[in-house]
Amino acid sequence: MMISKQLLLTYFYLLVYILLSSGVILYNKWVLSPKYFNFPFPITLTMIHMGFSGLVAFILIRVFKVVAPVKMTLEIYATCVIPISAFFAASLWFGNTAYLFISVAFIQMLKALMPVATFVMAVICGTDKLRCDVFLNMLLVSVGVVISSYGEIHFNIVGTVYQVTGIFAEALRLVLTQVLLQKKGLTLNPITSLYYIAPCSFIFLFVPWYLLEKPEMEVSQIQFNFWIFFSNALCALALNFSIFLVIGRTGAVTIRVAGVLKDWILIALSTLIFPESTITTLNITGYAVALCGVVMYNYLKIKDVRASQLPVDSIIDRTAKELKMEKKSSDLHLPDDNTILGGRSTNNGSSDSTVDEEAPFIPSTRISHLGRSNLST
């Protein structure tokens, strides 16, 4: 059986996404860790990524005109781009700072909390409703993360707080992106999003950098290696474009499965590359429990999205057919002892779904939980 070129290309994009995502995370850990490259300045590293990405986006849009800039008004920029950029900068800052205190493997396990954080923020912002089935999944994920944390040998409360704070900042960014940009009818591709958001995030990061890291950098004896930081920023930029390519060629199920596969690969690689990043049986058990909750949650969201994408014409046609069939059935077989309970005919123990029960459930939110589609994951 021959595999088509398009399918091979899709698998290639998925492979590139998994490699780049894992590579950027491991690279950031190596750069920031005092045991290796020893550049313990996460805000500086994030600012390098923001500055480089904003510059590349500017060149692609203004010089080479690869894509056209969107119609951006001052009102949209002030009410949408600025708050989104603020939380984007915060998520990168806190997420990268966590590398100084906890292992890559444990960070990936904590990232299982992303659906929980996004769901909580969506409920608070009113873009999602509190559902029992989703709440139970979130509870399962939380229990799994607690078990995993309890089994962590090198548990560090400071690093854990940084990572969890970054996760909630990223979740709020996702919700704000939906609430603010989508309501304005504004869609940003990776290039235009970097063009508008990266410079603004750079400015937000400048204040904590000036107060926290600049004084330390002046007295430290750390040498700046241009090629290390250039290649690191280039990998982070390439990751963004790979995410865009994967999303364009695959469905929600495929990319979510790829994300789960990437997490397992990253946990395994981190234990090989960084010997201090040991994992225990309790770590794996807790992460497996959390992963079950994440998988079940993703299944519910994908099911909701598929139901909401059902063509309206097919719903109307099916409704008309069912009504016609019910009318014929009532003409041929008058109900004697049959009971009609809540739209269900209990004739001979059989039941027929009514139109209301067949109607698709339209979710109130469609936020993607791919971990983070950011520059320095």
Side-chain angles (χ1 to χ4, degrees), residues 4 21 53 62-63 83 85 88 106 124 176 187 192 194 208 218 221 233 256-257 280 286 302 322 325 335 367 371 375:
S4 66
S21 182
S53 299
R62 294 299 182 184
V63 179
S85 300
F88 185 46
F106 186 49
I124 292 175
L176 285 177
T187 56
T192 53
L194 293 178
E218 290 175 348
Q221 301 296 322
R256 287 168 192 262
V257 171
T280 64
I302 292 169
E322 289 178 352
M325 290 177 63
I367 299 173
L375 302 171

Side-chain angles (χ1 to χ4, degrees), residues 167-362:
I167 288 171
F168 275 89
E170 173 68 6
L172 190 53
R173 181 190 72 86
L174 288 172
V175 175
L176 285 177
T177 300
Q178 183 193 31
V179 172
L180 300 178
L181 290 184
Q182 291 184 8
K183 283 189 176 180
K184 300 287 185 180
L186 190 66
T187 56
L188 300 176
N189 60 49
I191 299 177
T192 53
S193 65
L194 293 178
Y195 178 75
Y196 292 108
I197 293 175
C200 191
S201 298
F202 182 92
I203 294 173
F204 275 110
L205 289 166
F206 181 81
V207 176
W209 173 80
Y210 186 83
L211 296 174
L212 300 176
E213 292 191 357
K214 182 176 179 293
E216 292 186 23
M217 294 182 71
E218 290 175 348
V219 298
S220 62
Q221 301 296 322
I222 295 177
Q223 296 183 354
F224 188 88
N225 189 313
F226 171 80
W227 293 110
I228 290 291
F229 291 102
F230 174 76
S231 60
N232 182 263
L234 191 63
C235 289
L237 182 65
L239 172 60
N240 259 276
F241 292 126
S242 72
I243 293 172
F244 175 71
L245 291 174
V246 168
I247 292 175
R249 297 192 64 91
T250 63
V253 177
T254 305
I255 198 166
R256 287 168 192 262
V257 171
V260 172
L261 179 62
K262 183 262 297 183
D263 289 339
W264 282 109
I265 292 174
L266 189 53
I267 290 173
L269 284 176
S270 66
T271 58
L272 296 175
I273 297 174
F274 306 111
E276 71 278 4
S277 181
T278 55
I279 55 177
T280 64
T281 304
L282 204 56
N283 276 141
I284 296 298
T285 302
Y287 184 60
V289 171
L291 203 58
C292 289
V294 172
V295 170
M296 291 169 64
Y297 174 73
N298 286 340
Y299 171 76
L300 288 175
K301 301 306 291 184
I302 292 169
K303 185 179 177 181
D304 292 346
V305 171
R306 283 180 175 176
S308 67
Q309 292 173 345
L310 198 63
V312 177
D313 293 339
S314 65
I315 299 173
I316 296 174
D317 292 341
R318 185 168 57 182
T319 302
K321 288 180 181 179
E322 289 178 352
L323 287 174
K324 190 180 293 184
M325 290 177 63
E326 287 180 1
K327 185 177 184 302
K328 288 181 180 180
S329 176
S330 63
D331 292 340
L332 294 175
H333 194 76
L334 295 175
D336 298 323
D337 297 328
N338 304 331
T339 58
I340 309 296
L341 300 173
R344 282 183 179 270
S345 174
T346 58
N347 183 19
N348 298 328
S350 63
S351 62
D352 297 324
S353 298
T354 63
V355 176
D356 289 339
E357 291 172 349
E358 287 290 332
F361 170 75
I362 301 176

